[in-house]
Amino acid sequence: MINRLKQDLQKLANPKKAKILAKFFKTGKGEYGEGDIFLGIKVPEQRKIAKKYPDLALGDIKALLESKIHEYRLTSLFILIEKYKKADAKDKKIIVDFYLKNTGNINNWDLVDSSAPYILGDYLLEKNRLILYGLAKSDNLWEKRIAILSTFAFIRNNDFDDAFNISEILLYDSHALIHKAVGWMLREIGNRNHKKEEEFLNKHYKEMPRTALRYAIEKFDNKKRKFYLKK
């Protein structure tokens, strides 16, 4: 089954688009996506292929996640999400444990953003969330992004406390991808409760990274944006 899946993806390979994606996802030496290989396949096409393989075993998903080929990893995560949605409580835990054991291969921002809220975040909606605080304090860029992106599941349920707490942990992180993720989650909170977002910003806007701040206030009116950008 895994070989058929790989063949399906290889048939859609687009070398011209692959070069564009390799540049976009920073695969050069010393960049965050160093070593990532792209086939050049659009995300909707990967989702379509993923739906053909709902019964792919976790062992095969692990093999795909361990590949250098980006589309293999992303497609495997789409399959994992579908398996999670259909799983009972016992199997959901197995999938979440699998996800956490393989964070080392969920190693680009689109892989994190496409999976963390829908697997780990969803699983923790009614559970203890201490695991996210451990991830937020990790030395691994992608585990930190998983921590903040997982809170998107809570934010959608108007539950903001963990998003704010983890944002505070990550607020002064050195990496722009974390700044962007924090700002994005703050903006999502503001979409649902503008007052709560502003309370947080009023405490932190003078010191927080400009990238995070700009993301957070993106939907503010011009007057408020100017206010927050003045330091």
Side-chain angles (χ1 to χ4, degrees):
M1 188 180 292
I2 188 174
N3 289 331
R4 291 203 308 272
L5 186 155
K6 289 180 179 179
Q7 288 170 7
D8 285 349
L9 288 171
Q10 291 289 344
K11 288 175 185 176
L12 295 171
N14 182 331
K16 185 176 180 180
K17 187 171 178 61
K19 288 182 180 179
I20 295 170
L21 290 172
K23 186 176 181 179
F24 182 73
F25 283 97
K26 307 294 184 185
T27 63
K29 186 171 178 59
E31 295 182 308
Y32 63 74
E34 182 178 355
D36 222 347
I37 298 169
F38 282 84
L39 297 177
I41 306 171
K42 294 179 180 178
V43 170
E45 292 175 326
Q46 293 179 69
R47 291 185 185 278
K48 187 175 180 180
I49 288 174
K51 288 180 180 178
K52 291 174 59 179
Y53 298 93
D55 299 321
L56 192 70
L58 287 181
D60 287 337
I61 291 175
K62 187 175 190 295
L64 291 171
L65 275 174
E66 290 173 347
S67 172
K68 289 284 188 181
I69 296 175
H70 191 94
E71 287 89 346
Y72 285 8
R73 303 203 305 283
L74 184 55
T75 300
S76 74
L77 288 169
F78 289 150
I79 295 170
L80 194 65
I81 290 166
E82 291 305 312
K83 291 175 82 71
Y84 175 85
K85 287 178 182 176
K86 298 173 183 176
D88 58 21
K90 180 181 177 182
D91 286 340
K92 274 183 165 59
K93 185 179 187 307
I94 290 171
I95 289 168
V96 169
D97 288 344
F98 172 87
Y99 186 83
L100 290 169
K101 286 177 183 176
N102 287 279
T103 55
N105 295 312
I106 305 169
N107 56 355
N108 216 312
W109 59 262
D110 62 324
L111 304 178
V112 172
D113 299 2
S114 297
S115 61
Y118 310 104
I119 297 177
L120 184 56
D122 183 86
Y123 183 73
L124 295 175
L125 280 171
E126 303 297 333
K127 294 180 177 63
N128 185 293
R129 300 166 185 177
L130 281 177
I131 183 67
L132 296 184
Y133 292 82
L135 292 171
K137 295 173 183 176
S138 168
D139 292 329
N140 182 283
L141 167 64
W142 308 115
E143 289 189 344
K144 288 186 280 191
R145 190 161 173 120
I146 286 170
I148 188 62
L149 260 294
S150 293
T151 69
F152 200 2
F154 317 152
I155 292 168
R156 287 189 179 120
N157 282 271
N158 294 307
D159 178 356
F160 309 135
D161 287 350
D162 292 289
F164 283 137
N165 292 339
I166 291 171
S167 290
E168 286 185 331
I169 292 171
L170 296 175
L171 204 56
Y172 308 108
D173 190 85
S174 62
H175 206 290
L177 285 176
I178 299 300
H179 304 167
K180 291 175 181 179
V182 167
W184 175 18
M185 292 303 101
L186 293 174
R187 185 177 70 229
E188 289 295 338
I189 291 171
N191 289 342
R192 293 157 178 83
N193 191 320
H194 192 82
K195 181 181 177 182
K196 287 284 188 182
E197 183 190 5
E198 283 213 67
E199 287 175 357
F200 182 90
L201 291 176
N202 288 340
K203 292 180 184 177
H204 300 290
Y205 80 94
K206 291 183 179 180
E207 293 83 25
M208 66 192 289
R210 300 291 273 188
T211 298
L213 181 58
R214 287 184 183 278
Y215 268 62
I217 65 175
E218 187 178 273
K219 294 188 178 180
F220 286 18
D221 62 45
N222 192 48
K223 183 179 179 181
K224 277 196 173 180
R225 282 201 306 274
K226 286 182 177 179
F227 168 80
Y228 280 110
L229 289 170
K230 282 183 179 179
K231 290 192 178 180

